[in-house]
Amino acid sequence: MSDIRHSLLRRDALSAAKEVLYHLDIYFSSQLQSAPLPIVDKGPVELLEEFVFQVPKERGAQPKEQTKDSVRQIIFSSLFSPQGNKADDSRMSLLGKLVSMAVAVCRIPVLECAASWLQRTPVVYCVRLARALVDDYCCLVPGSVQTLKQTLSASPRFCCQLVTSVTALYDLSSDDLIPPLDLLEMIVSWIFEDPSVLQVLMMLQVHLTEKNLYGRLGLILFDHMVPLVEEINRLADELNPLNASQEIELALDRLAQALQVAMASGALLCTRDDLRTLCSRLPHNNLLQLVISGPVQQAPHAALPPGFYPHIHTPPLGYGAVPAHPAAHPALPTHPGHTFMSGMTFPFRPIR
């Protein structure tokens, strides 16, 4: 009956119903030759329900499909998992062509396999695949980035893993390692359409707390923030003569938002002094100053007093309090006093 069902699945509803009745005629005719009262087993009944009465097949068939997906993943992994030998270059070259083709024809099973591969493969190989895709869709043929952009609806998991790999690829250390504009615009559009690349940090605090790792396991290395802040500072210096104050302020707002979420969720572990030193050369920004100096009201934590980052080793400065030396910073504007809640989002201004 399983072979008959697979054949019926390829037909339209009317011809499938006719085919079911034809096969049942043959089936019961054969049964009557051996017994005066044939036994109607489960197989024919299921075919009638699915293709004549249009009742969807029950979830009992799902384990077979899941097994098929598992086999596909295992085969993909055995083909393309790096082995540390001479075959890795050929393996990576073929993988790049395969995934690039899967993007072009929107082949979801291959994209899902590639997403799993990117998730469990060392970063040095992930960036090679990311580089191949960026070259194919952002550099070689103008406008082809639209094809890559459309994969978000087909495989969000692949897009998420690709963004992670692209982040590792472009470390801003040289002109060659600055992402192309088409790629940046595509990633921004992905994030606007599906902000769950971002919301993972908001969920992180719960998971770290459950495992008693909150404030003890940093997932974002402070050393990785240094070149990012230095690059923002360099770009701000370049844009300053061009009357781009609004663009600079927006970039600093985005940096402040990212720092706030990363610290409040426990993903970024650093002291306030480290943060002040890191951001000291950046142009003044109200939101950034608030994140650096203002207290954050945390949810109750068994081992820590409220109002402290669990990973901040110096007490937070009183936000809105009168400074000890008010004349020391006459140029800095004052901020209205209010409680700064970690769960509250910052005012959002869309990129224009």
Side-chain angles (χ1 to χ4, degrees):
M1 289 297 176
S2 61
D3 293 339
I4 296 176
R5 180 176 180 275
H6 287 302
S7 174
L8 294 173
L9 287 172
R10 295 192 289 268
R11 296 175 175 267
D12 61 88
L14 181 59
S15 63
K18 291 180 179 179
E19 189 73 10
V20 167
L21 296 176
Y22 170 75
H23 283 289
L24 290 182
D25 181 34
I26 297 176
Y27 175 78
F28 288 123
S29 296
S30 175
Q31 288 272 23
L32 285 170
Q33 292 179 3
S34 58
L37 186 62
I39 299 174
V40 182
D41 59 26
K42 188 177 181 181
V45 173
E46 288 182 345
L47 289 180
L48 284 171
E49 290 176 347
E50 183 173 4
F51 295 102
V52 176
F53 301 110
Q54 300 295 310
V55 178
K57 188 171 177 65
E58 295 181 357
R59 297 182 178 270
Q62 282 192 354
K64 293 183 179 178
E65 189 66 30
Q66 292 172 354
T67 300
K68 184 178 179 181
D69 290 340
S70 300
V71 171
R72 184 188 296 118
Q73 293 279 358
I74 292 172
I75 293 175
F76 193 95
S77 179
S78 63
L79 283 172
F80 298 114
S81 291
Q83 302 299 318
N85 54 31
K86 294 181 179 179
D88 281 350
D89 287 340
S90 299
R91 184 178 284 112
M92 291 302 302
S93 177
L94 180 59
L95 176 63
K97 295 174 182 177
L98 174 65
V99 177
S100 182
M101 181 64 72
V103 169
V105 300
C106 197
R107 189 63 177 168
I108 297 177
V110 177
L111 295 176
E112 288 294 306
C113 287
S116 298
W117 184 92
L118 286 167
Q119 190 171 11
R120 59 173 174 256
T121 302
V123 66
V124 65
Y125 297 100
C126 293
V127 297
R128 290 179 63 177
L129 178 57
R131 168 68 79 180
L133 295 175
V134 171
D135 287 344
D136 286 350
Y137 289 97
C138 298
C139 301
L140 295 181
V141 181
S144 59
V145 70
Q146 292 300 320
T147 303
L148 182 58
K149 183 179 178 180
Q150 293 172 0
T151 57
L152 179 63
S153 59
S155 179
R157 198 161 69 94
F158 170 76
C159 295
C160 178
Q161 295 301 325
L162 180 60
V163 170
T164 303
S165 300
V166 164
T167 303
L169 170 62
Y170 294 105
D171 63 1
L172 310 177
S173 61
S174 67
D175 290 341
D176 292 336
L177 295 178
I178 296 176
L181 181 59
D182 283 349
L183 178 64
L184 288 175
E185 291 178 344
M186 181 193 72
I187 292 176
V188 168
S189 71
W190 281 352
I191 293 173
F192 268 99
E193 187 171 343
D194 182 3
S196 58
V197 179
L198 296 178
Q199 293 171 346
V200 65
L201 286 178
M202 300 301 293
M203 298 182 290
L204 182 63
Q205 179 176 349
V206 175
H207 295 296
L208 290 178
T209 302
E210 289 176 350
K211 299 181 181 299
N212 197 29
L213 293 174
Y214 184 51
R216 300 162 65 184
L217 176 65
L219 301 181
I220 300 177
L221 298 181
F222 184 78
D223 290 344
H224 291 176
M225 298 299 301
V226 175
L228 174 62
V229 172
E230 290 177 348
E231 181 66 13
I232 293 175
N233 186 60
R234 184 185 68 81
L235 292 173
D237 289 341
E238 291 182 2
L239 292 174
N240 195 44
L242 304 178
N243 296 322
S245 58
Q246 291 185 350
E247 288 78 6
I248 294 173
E249 183 181 5
L250 180 60
L252 294 174
D253 282 349
R254 293 289 184 266
L255 175 64
Q257 291 170 353
L259 287 173
Q260 156 64 9
V261 174
M263 292 190 300
S265 64
L268 176 63
L269 307 185
C270 64
T271 66
R272 290 188 184 279
D273 287 340
D274 290 338
L275 202 58
R276 292 190 190 100
T277 301
L278 176 65
C279 300
S280 61
R281 297 181 58 190
L282 291 172
H284 174 75
N285 175 268
N286 290 345
L287 191 55
L288 188 58
Q289 289 297 318
L290 178 62
V291 171
I292 293 174
S293 303
V296 173
Q297 185 66 40
Q298 291 285 349
H301 193 279
L304 297 165
F308 284 74
Y309 287 123
H311 47 281
I312 295 295
H313 306 299
T314 57
L317 299 179
Y319 178 52
V322 178
H325 304 285
H329 303 287
L332 299 183
T334 59
H335 307 289
H338 66 276
T339 303
F340 186 44
M341 304 293 291
S342 63
M344 300 293 291
T345 56
F346 289 110
F348 175 76
R349 295 184 297 169
I351 298 176
R352 294 181 176 85

